[in-house]
Amino acid sequence: MTVRNRYPEACFLKTRHHHWWTAATILMLLWPIAMARAADSAAGQVSSKQVIAAIDKAVDYLLKQDLPQKHWERGVLGPWQEKMPQFLGESALVTEALLDVQQSLHLQKLDIFSGKMKSAIEFLLNNHNNTTYSTSFQANAIALLPKKPQYRATMAWDYDYLLHSLHYNGAYSYGWGTPFTTKTMPLKSNFWDNSNSQYGILGMWAVADYGIGVPQLYWQLTADHWRKTQHANGSWWYDLANNGDGNTPDVQEGIFTPAGVASLLIADEFLARRHTNKPLVDPNVERALAWMNAHFDPKMKNQYEMYGYERVGLASGLQRFGGHNWYKAFAATLVHLQHPDGSWSPHFLSAGGDPVGTAYALLILVRGLNPVFINKLQYNKAYFGRWNARQRDVANMVEWVSKQTETPLNWQVANINAPLSDWLNSPILYITGNNDPKFTKVQIQKLRRYVNAGGLVLCSPNEDSMQFRGAMIRYGREVVRNGYEYKTLTIKSDLYHMQPWFHFYVPMLGLSNGARYVWLICPNDLGSIWQRNALNQTSYWHLPLNLYLYATGKGSLGNRLQTLEVPEATGAPARSISIGQLSYAGNWNPEPGAWPRLAKILAADAATKVNLSTVSLDHAAACGLGMLHMTGTDGFHVSPQEVAEIQKYINKGGLLFADGCGGHPEFANGFTQLMMKAFPHEPLQKIPDDAPMITGKVPGGVDASKVTYRRFYVSTKGIRSKPGLLGIKIGRRWGVIFSQTDITSGLLGTHTWGILGYSPKSSVALARNIVEYAALQGK
């Protein structure tokens, strides 16, 4: 299910007590996804800033609604209020939502050790209610708190209620031992409903996640209930006879079908811990997902229904229902419906007041917004295809990494036919199986585009399949156009040393472009270990943790809406420049996606049109372009003719900009030698801080006088805040601009560890100014 993280005390004491890696600070069943982009466009778009602003306003609203002693209790939950009041439920729900916000956004006003949050938590600890909703919300709130005796005592009470109030057929009713029911009533009658049943199992999942053992029979009974009560079309109702809910069957289906799938996925988390290589098809889930895809309404307003869809999306990794990106659709709807005071009115029956509607909206917005650590590639039509023989492998692994890093993380499925934008909000793509996936040329090109955009592909064979492993080796070579050779990673690789106190070794085969790993193959069956939660095989859990640290540069990931994809420019360009990427006998283009991405940024943000082309070093003088860029990762040698060509190009008014991709000294030495041969009497000199490519005092420029460096750079060379550009002046203009520190990798927007470079933001700023300087010189 959704990755949860308890709050260690250190989490609230900010950076002084954070673990060192902490941030300083969900598949369509329908195939293929032909209408994905149109569906997203029709649903509307909201930005990450808009969503976070909406969350912040909602938090302020809820804190203002907190009443002394009563907190958020308004006594209006449930149709049976007079006989069975849902006391505690509203406050538990709101507290859970606020704790989720604090876990993700770290807002000081939600500090659990002071103020209103401290009082709200004490209210939960000092009160109990023999009703299913209240107990479930209470358990889900407590599960987000540290493992302290007083919290565990409350969780133990919730466990006792949820275990003993379970109907003999695996369902729940409103309460147990209340004025409306007796303690024997739920066990001996058919008085149950699927609303209470979904919240009952959700509460017990929180109990288990907190570390209290739950009998396997419990999960079997609850799963059996949902399987036996499913309709032939794949849907569920409030109950079998459509009694008590007040909604028509079609409305009930929309509400309770996601509830059924989410409940089965919860049960499978505990029932599916077995070693298997063949996909185990679950016909109940398969039928239900088909129903959900056929009936998904991206404009739904019912937060209860939206919450059910989100739970399915997060638990299964599904990004899309019916071709629509569910999170983007829900976020757009909720941002639009939010009241000026920060609240949302509940759009579901017997829901209570605006605090309840607001709490549900927060749960939807916050949990779905959490960063996506890894994508799992779907290359078969069916959800239960060869790509997904272990449905819980990645989910279990991400939950473990999330807890280690004290960072709420999500995972998702990337459909091979989906738009590349569905892949780009995660730095790692995981491919698994036991046969050759038989990727087409178009699909290989999609994989190449992902790698070129800064992505890392991790492959692992089921049952150590040599056929799958061989196919992945071949596809990796095709993706990099046979430009790099596989190497067996040694114990000295950064991937085994990301945690200073824990080093290990797992056999890995890798392709590197000289600056970073782009394709990794583990010959061992990672999915089996993760599926079974075999935590005793320590190295195979620390491997993905290290990959997380490697991909984030020991920092943090952007949220789900923060993607590497750059939007297309909407306005007409104010200026243009033609830039050539210099090719030579060496690794001249290690990051093919860097300059195309910068060109899109310049078009969108600076109204500058960049025309890119490739220019051979031995034909540089006649290219007629305003600027040439040269980069690489290794040393290189040039012929006298090539030296003469670059000299002529610069002397004729061209600008040569160079940087060492990855920041390796071998390229820097090679480029320095080239400049000494071309301009023996004009050594590279430091470009002053008031130069236009640093101050940004050129049309389309930005201030880059203060820059930030990657964490790897800082850990190696110390803290710096000034750019260190070198150059050669030809008359009154700069004809050569050189950065020994990596800029090229930063243009991708990624923070990969092991690169001696500027941060992505500073890389883009410096490159932007250099381009605009060249465009100005060409006028």
Side-chain angles (χ1 to χ4, degrees):
M1 290 301 297
T2 310
V3 173
R4 306 181 65 97
N5 298 278
R6 298 173 205 93
Y7 286 113
E9 291 184 59
C11 188
F12 292 91
L13 300 179
K14 300 301 178 185
T15 55
R16 285 194 301 116
H17 296 287
H18 267 186
H19 285 307
W20 61 272
W21 64 74
T22 308
T25 47
I26 72 180
L27 162 357
M28 277 198 63
L29 200 64
L30 305 178
W31 187 274
I33 308 179
M35 301 302 292
R37 291 189 183 275
D40 287 349
S41 177
Q45 300 287 333
V46 291
S47 69
S48 171
K49 289 184 179 180
Q50 288 175 292
V51 172
I52 292 175
I55 292 171
D56 193 58
K57 285 178 61 179
V59 168
D60 289 341
Y61 165 79
L62 289 174
L63 293 177
K64 290 178 182 178
Q65 296 297 311
D66 181 30
L67 302 177
Q69 298 183 335
K70 291 184 62 176
H71 294 283
W72 295 278
E73 296 305 310
R74 303 298 185 264
V76 293
L77 272 180
W80 311 103
Q81 183 205 339
E82 292 184 1
K83 296 182 178 179
M84 186 168 38
Q86 300 287 334
F87 177 75
L88 185 68
E90 294 159 285
S91 293
L93 172 62
V94 172
T95 303
E96 177 193 355
L98 293 176
L99 287 172
D100 262 318
V101 173
Q102 171 62 0
Q103 184 183 78
S104 298
L105 301 183
H106 308 293
L107 303 180
Q108 184 61 39
K109 55 190 170 186
L110 295 180
D111 178 10
I112 69 169
F113 298 117
S114 63
K116 294 188 174 184
M117 289 303 295
K118 179 181 179 181
S119 178
I121 292 169
E122 290 175 347
F123 181 71
L124 296 190
L125 299 179
N126 295 328
N127 290 277
H128 301 292
N129 191 348
N130 287 352
T131 56
T132 303
Y133 291 127
S134 297
T135 303
S136 177
F137 294 139
Q138 184 180 51
N140 276 276
I142 298 300
L144 294 166
L145 294 170
K147 284 189 174 181
K148 289 187 172 184
Q150 64 267 39
Y151 302 148
R152 188 174 182 88
T154 298
M155 190 66 86
W157 190 98
D158 295 338
Y159 166 74
D160 184 70
Y161 169 85
L162 292 168
L163 185 66
H164 291 94
S165 64
L166 184 69
H167 191 279
Y168 71 91
N169 67 354
Y172 283 95
S173 182
Y174 279 92
W176 183 51
T178 67
F180 190 70
T181 64
T182 67
K183 287 193 174 183
T184 59
M185 188 173 180
L187 302 177
K188 295 183 178 180
S189 76
N190 286 322
F191 184 66
W192 60 266
D193 64 81
N194 278 332
S195 181
N196 279 284
S197 294
Q198 75 153 326
Y199 280 96
I201 190 173
L202 180 60
M204 190 63 97
W205 172 75
V207 169
D209 186 67
Y210 196 74
I212 296 178
V214 179
Q216 283 292 99
L217 180 59
Y218 174 87
W219 306 113
Q220 191 63 61
L221 284 172
T222 52
D224 287 347
H225 161 75
W226 289 98
R227 298 189 192 285
K228 291 175 181 179
T229 58
Q230 186 180 30
H231 295 287
N233 68 349
S235 70
W236 281 272
W237 290 355
Y238 178 78
D239 57 20
L240 287 177
N242 184 25
N243 292 320
D245 176 66
N247 284 309
T248 59
D250 60 323
V251 174
Q252 289 192 44
E253 289 176 329
I255 296 174
F256 296 110
T257 301
V261 178
S263 298
L264 286 175
L265 292 174
I266 287 178
D268 278 348
E269 182 175 340
F270 302 92
L271 297 175
R273 294 180 179 179
R274 54 192 180 274
H275 182 78
T276 177
N277 182 41
K278 297 181 180 179
L280 298 178
V281 179
D282 187 328
N284 299 95
V285 172
E286 198 169 45
R287 292 199 307 271
L289 288 177
W291 190 96
M292 291 173 64
N293 275 295
H295 295 85
F296 180 77
D297 178 8
K299 297 182 179 180
M300 68 177 72
K301 300 178 180 180
N302 184 330
Q303 295 103 318
Y304 186 105
E305 183 177 3
M306 296 165 75
Y307 182 52
Y309 270 95
E310 180 188 58
R311 289 175 56 211
V312 174
L314 293 177
S316 65
L318 297 166
Q319 289 191 71
R320 296 177 179 272
F321 295 114
H324 301 273
N325 185 302
W326 62 264
Y327 183 77
K328 290 182 179 180
F330 290 171
T333 296
L334 290 172
V335 169
H336 174 71
L337 291 176
Q338 188 175 32
H339 299 312
D341 65 355
S343 70
W344 282 274
S345 297
H347 290 267
F348 49 97
L349 185 67
S350 305
D354 286 358
V356 172
T358 304
Y360 268 103
L362 278 180
L363 290 175
I364 296 162
L365 289 176
V366 173
R367 291 181 177 177
L369 188 64
N370 287 330
V372 180
F373 166 34
I374 191 169
N375 287 325
K376 186 177 182 179
L377 186 66
Q378 179 194 11
Y379 52 82
N380 302 132
K381 287 183 180 181
Y383 177 74
F384 296 100
R386 289 181 289 111
W387 68 278
N388 199 24
R390 288 77 177 263
Q391 290 92 38
R392 294 295 310 171
D393 54 357
V394 173
N396 290 339
M397 177 272 287
V398 170
E399 182 173 6
W400 186 87
V401 171
S402 182
K403 290 177 180 178
Q404 306 311 304
T405 60
E406 300 175 11
T407 304
L409 298 171
N410 288 319
W411 70 283
Q412 64 187 13
V413 173
N415 193 300
I416 191 69
N417 292 333
L420 187 65
S421 58
D422 278 16
W423 301 22
L424 289 180
N425 56 3
S426 171
I428 301 175
L429 179 69
Y430 178 61
I431 311 177
T432 188
N434 62 341
N435 301 110
D436 184 348
K438 300 185 184 301
F439 293 138
T440 66
K441 291 183 179 180
V442 172
Q443 293 168 344
I444 293 172
Q445 174 62 13
K446 176 82 67 68
L447 290 165
R448 183 180 297 121
R449 289 170 59 202
Y450 176 74
V451 166
N452 289 350
L456 167 62
V457 176
L458 172 65
C459 312
S460 175
N462 293 346
E463 298 287 334
D464 303 339
S465 167
M466 294 299 292
Q467 182 181 359
F468 179 86
R469 180 184 177 188
M472 291 302 105
I473 291 174
R474 184 174 71 255
Y475 292 133
R477 289 196 178 106
E478 292 185 48
V479 164
V480 300
R481 302 185 187 275
N482 295 304
Y484 309 104
E485 292 297 325
Y486 280 101
K487 293 182 179 180
T488 300
L489 274 62
T490 69
I491 191 63
K492 295 181 179 180
S493 169
D494 283 345
L495 289 184
Y496 306 122
H497 298 268
M498 297 305 298
Q499 306 171 66
W501 60 83
F502 186 84
H503 300 165
F504 63 94
Y505 182 74
V506 171
M508 297 281 282
L509 200 61
L511 286 173
S512 169
N513 65 3
R516 63 181 177 93
Y517 293 111
V518 298
W519 195 277
L520 294 172
I521 301 174
C522 179
N524 304 122
D525 191 343
L526 296 174
S528 174
I529 297 168
W530 300 340
Q531 173 81 13
R532 294 180 286 117
N533 261 329
L535 297 176
N536 60 317
Q537 300 191 49
T538 310
S539 297
Y540 295 94
W541 295 89
H542 282 271
L543 174 63
L545 172 57
N546 279 16
L547 286 172
Y548 172 84
L549 299 171
Y550 178 78
T552 63
K554 296 186 180 181
S556 59
L557 289 172
N559 63 52
R560 182 187 294 270
L561 294 179
Q562 292 173 323
T563 175
L564 295 176
E565 187 176 40
V566 179
E568 297 291 340
T570 56
R575 64 195 70 83
S576 66
I577 183 173
S578 295
I579 299 175
Q581 294 178 261
L582 271 181
S583 66
Y584 58 91
N587 190 21
W588 64 273
N589 193 20
E591 294 292 4
W595 276 91
R597 185 173 186 271
L598 178 66
K600 295 184 71 173
I601 293 174
L602 291 174
D605 296 347
T608 299
K609 181 181 179 181
V610 175
N611 302 302
L612 295 173
S613 61
T614 301
V615 175
S616 174
L617 181 56
D618 56 6
H619 292 86
C623 70
L625 304 180
M627 173 177 151
L628 294 177
H629 176 249
M630 185 176 189
T631 192
T633 59
D634 306 307
F636 60 94
H637 299 281
V638 293
S639 66
Q641 178 190 350
E642 292 172 323
V643 173
E645 285 288 315
I646 204 68
Q647 183 186 58
K648 291 178 184 178
Y649 168 78
I650 296 170
N651 285 331
K652 289 169 61 176
L655 171 62
L656 175 62
F657 164 44
D659 78 309
C661 184
H664 299 300
E666 293 84 359
F667 177 83
N669 292 337
F671 184 79
T672 301
Q673 291 296 318
L674 171 60
M675 291 299 99
M676 290 176 63
K677 294 175 182 179
F679 301 97
H681 304 296
E682 298 290 342
L684 287 163
Q685 59 177 294
K686 184 183 182 302
I687 296 179
D689 294 342
D690 60 355
M693 68 284 299
I694 294 178
T695 63
K697 293 181 179 180
V698 287
V702 294
D703 186 3
S705 57
K706 290 186 179 181
V707 295
T708 55
Y709 291 78
R710 291 173 179 262
R711 292 189 176 196
F712 179 75
Y713 184 102
V714 173
S715 69
T716 305
K717 296 182 176 294
I719 299 175
R720 298 182 184 181
S721 61
K722 295 288 186 180
L725 299 181
L726 303 176
I728 295 176
K729 261 194 167 182
I730 306 299
R732 301 180 63 182
R733 67 178 181 87
W734 293 97
V736 177
I737 300 175
F738 174 51
S739 174
Q740 302 176 75
T741 303
D742 175 280
I743 289 179
T744 294
S745 299
L747 303 183
L748 296 171
T750 55
H751 297 264
T752 313
W753 187 257
I755 294 174
L756 292 167
Y758 296 101
S759 68
K761 181 178 180 180
S762 293
S763 295
V764 169
L766 288 168
R768 174 176 177 167
N769 287 350
I770 293 169
V771 170
E772 299 297 359
Y773 176 79
L776 183 64
Q777 298 303 309
K779 287 187 176 181

